Amino acid sequence: MIQKSRGITQEFFFERCRPLFCKIISHVFTYEVDYDEFVNELYLYLMEDDAQKLRIFEYRCSVYQWLKVLAIRFFIQKRNRMIDVCPKVVHYIAEEPTDEENRGIAKSDVQRLLELMPSERYAYVIKKLLIEDVEPSKLASEMEITTANLYNIKRRAMAQLISVALNDIRKYGR
């Protein structure tokens, strides 16, 4: 991993550690967490400071046990900071239609769709980037992630929003 071999990293994080990470996700988070996002954030954390965290591993236990403890601690801290940064937000639309009634309907539709999203974090990212027009670098800094990771989150958030909207259309014909 330290040599950043794509194949080895892919096999380790996405095959061998998948059961372990899925269990950690289910125990640490009370909301839906995207597996790829989880792994991406953990990988970035492990590779910080020239992979310092990996270099201090001393083989006193299995690498899986060590990684389990490290990942749980990291994500509990991250989750607790996210709760402060991303409280349940009130959603609204940025553009105002000319007709006041249509504006109210559009506002409530957007708010309802964002609240239907399984991931509050995704809804938060969409609200900040697309509705409030917050600079991506500023939001990434606020969320303590890289800008590249923010764009990955945004892509998955938009896919989730589209899925929610399509399900809503199928269900209610809106």
Side-chain angles (χ1 to χ4, degrees):
M1 273 186 293
I2 294 176
Q3 286 89 19
K4 299 180 182 178
S5 166
R6 186 176 184 90
I8 292 171
T9 302
Q10 181 77 19
E11 179 185 343
F12 183 76
F13 283 104
F14 289 91
E15 292 173 27
R16 293 183 181 199
C17 290
R18 188 173 199 92
L20 171 66
F21 291 159
C22 287
K23 189 106 172 145
I24 291 170
I25 289 169
S26 71
H27 285 295
V28 172
F29 298 98
T30 58
Y31 50 88
E32 183 179 320
V33 172
D34 182 79
Y35 184 82
D36 291 348
E37 181 183 340
F38 175 93
V39 169
N40 188 37
E41 289 193 32
L42 182 61
Y43 180 78
L44 291 172
Y45 177 69
L46 290 170
M47 298 308 286
E48 283 177 357
D49 301 322
D50 193 32
Q52 184 62 32
K53 286 164 193 67
L54 289 172
R55 294 180 193 283
I56 62 170
F57 176 62
E58 297 177 344
Y59 301 96
R60 292 184 187 169
C61 60
S62 76
V63 70
Y64 298 103
Q65 184 64 33
W66 175 81
L67 192 56
K68 175 183 175 183
V69 172
L70 183 131
I72 289 171
R73 288 179 180 163
F74 172 68
F75 283 106
I76 286 175
Q77 287 179 340
K78 191 154 200 68
R79 177 198 66 197
N80 291 343
R81 282 193 308 261
M82 273 187 57
I83 290 170
D84 293 334
V85 172
C86 308
K88 188 72 174 169
V89 292
V90 177
H91 306 285
Y92 61 92
I93 59 172
E95 294 182 5
E96 296 182 12
T98 55
D99 180 31
E100 189 64 32
E101 186 175 292
N102 285 342
R103 183 181 159 282
I105 291 169
K107 179 181 176 181
S108 67
D109 281 347
V110 170
Q111 188 173 354
R112 187 175 48 76
L113 288 174
L114 289 172
E115 288 172 357
L116 287 173
M117 290 178 67
S119 172
E120 288 183 28
R121 186 174 198 198
Y122 286 179
Y124 179 78
V125 167
I126 289 172
K127 175 185 175 275
K128 288 296 191 181
L129 291 177
L130 302 178
I131 297 173
E132 294 181 8
D133 203 26
V134 172
E135 285 293 321
S137 58
K138 182 180 176 196
L139 182 59
S141 175
E142 175 184 313
M143 294 176 71
E144 298 180 1
I145 59 175
T146 64
T147 305
N149 193 23
L150 178 65
Y151 284 121
N152 287 331
I153 294 168
K154 178 187 172 191
R155 180 182 46 79
R156 290 190 293 269
M158 290 303 295
Q160 188 177 90
L161 179 61
I162 289 167
S163 176
V164 166
L166 289 173
N167 285 338
D168 189 63
I169 290 169
R170 285 185 205 109
K171 189 173 182 179
Y172 298 107
R174 293 182 186 184

